[in-house]
Amino acid sequence: MTERLIDEVVLVTGAARGIGRAVAEKAAAEGAAVGLIDVLAGELARTTAELRATGARVAAVVGDITDENAVAKAVGELSSELGPATVLVNNAGKNAYADATRMTVAEWDSVFDVDLKGAWLMARQVLPSMIENRHGAIVNIASIHSSLTTAGMFPYAAAKSGLVGMTRSLALDVGPHNVRVNAVSPGYIATDLLEEFFTTFPAEREHALDVHPLGRIGTPADVAEVVCFLASRAAAFVTGANWAVDGGLGVRSA
Ligand code: NAI
């Protein structure tokens, strides 16, 4: 425990479970007050209670990041309880398994709404106070699919590549205000989402271990460590980057 995030107010989307929950736990352990947003009311209440039991300063709002009014309401409520956000972790996301020739526009929009637009809506809401205070960091959880992808996952790679592109744009635009924006690109991380992927592509379950240079798949805590580093002053000169947390999978050619 280094207390790297003491005095920070860290908002995490998709915080009820998986990587988002691990980020919230790590940020709290590093001294931050944490604000949690998720659509899963029951899991969010459980996660919030378990975090509070550790002595963490935590507030939570059930909210959908794809809905601009819900985003404004959630950020407003969390700010009045914890103070203005100094760190935003755009973690909420979902996989896609569409066929490009049959996918409907509504299905396309539902992927981009969560994996790309929601991150912008959240950033739009928190950036004014970060800019005013000349202090802030945003970490966008992209994916290894921002540079490599798997057949049958259309248009997840497009949305996650867009998120990395948005990271670059924002990093340039808000850098002069001392606000940093980075992306983290996980590979295979053991969560409910990965279970869904393995259920969709059963052969991948065996294959996954073999292709990782580190010989294992990752844990949510592996990702949370890097996210909290990038959010902290220890990464004061890092912005616009896309950090892989993939056990070396992304540098392997065969
Ligand atoms: P997960 O499915 O376990 O957790 C995602 C959380 O986001 C859930 O609690 C869900 O309710 C929440 N969420 C989804 N849509 C939402 C919305 N519209 N508004 C608010 N909350 C919403 O997934 P996991 O694995 O923890 O993934 C977290 C992030 O990491 C996602 O962006 C995912 O794309 C990314 N990622 C995950 C990888 C993995 O192997 N698990 C690999 C690469 C990227």
Side-chain angles (χ1 to χ4, degrees):
M1 182 32 185
T2 58
E3 301 197 331
R4 283 180 304 188
L5 295 176
I6 215 132
D7 294 333
E8 306 290 352
V9 175
V10 178
L11 302 195
V12 185
T13 67
R17 68 183 196 191
I19 293 170
R21 177 183 166 133
V23 169
E25 286 169 349
K26 180 67 184 167
E30 294 280 359
V34 288
L36 319 182
I37 302 171
D38 206 293
V39 281
L40 298 175
E43 282 195 60
L44 184 63
R46 254 194 313 281
T47 297
T48 306
E50 285 167 18
L51 260 172
R52 274 205 187 109
T54 68
R57 202 169 149 228
V58 52
V61 176
V62 177
D64 182 345
I65 59 150
T66 70
D67 173 342
E68 66 176 314
N69 297 322
V71 166
K73 185 168 171 284
V75 173
E77 282 178 30
L78 293 172
S79 302
S80 48
E81 209 167 328
L82 303 172
T86 61
V87 173
L88 166 64
V89 181
N90 276 316
N91 163 78
K94 67 174 195 173
N95 280 352
Y97 309 101
D99 176 330
T101 65
R102 286 198 292 267
M103 186 181 206
T104 65
V105 169
E107 285 164 348
W108 168 278
D109 286 344
S110 79
V111 178
F112 276 78
D113 280 357
V114 181
D115 287 341
L116 184 52
K117 188 178 83 177
W120 163 62
L121 289 176
M122 286 295 304
R124 188 176 68 164
Q125 207 63 39
V126 301
L127 275 170
S129 64
M130 291 181 178
I131 289 168
E132 192 186 334
N133 297 326
R134 292 193 58 77
H135 173 67
I138 296 177
V139 182
N140 295 319
I141 308 300
S143 169
I144 192 169
H145 289 255
S146 64
S147 53
L148 308 167
T149 195
T150 305
M153 288 197 70
F154 188 84
Y156 183 68
K160 290 295 190 178
S161 299
L163 186 57
V164 175
M166 188 176 84
T167 302
R168 283 196 292 270
S169 290
L170 281 178
L172 295 187
D173 290 351
V174 300
H177 303 287
N178 196 37
V179 178
R180 297 178 300 102
V181 187
N182 290 290
V184 166
S185 281
Y188 287 68
I189 308 297
T191 66
D192 291 308
L193 194 69
L194 186 65
E195 269 310 304
E196 178 194 293
F197 171 83
F198 284 150
T199 306
T200 311
F201 303 106
E204 291 291 329
R205 197 183 288 274
E206 295 306 313
H207 185 57
L209 283 184
D210 298 340
V211 294
H212 278 79
L214 289 181
R216 66 175 178 93
I217 61 170
T219 64
D222 287 328
V223 182
E225 282 287 348
V226 178
V227 171
C228 288
F229 160 68
L230 289 172
S232 77
R233 285 182 169 83
F237 202 51
V238 183
T239 197
N242 180 16
W243 280 55
V245 184
D246 64 1
L249 181 61
V251 295
R252 186 179 183 128
S253 71

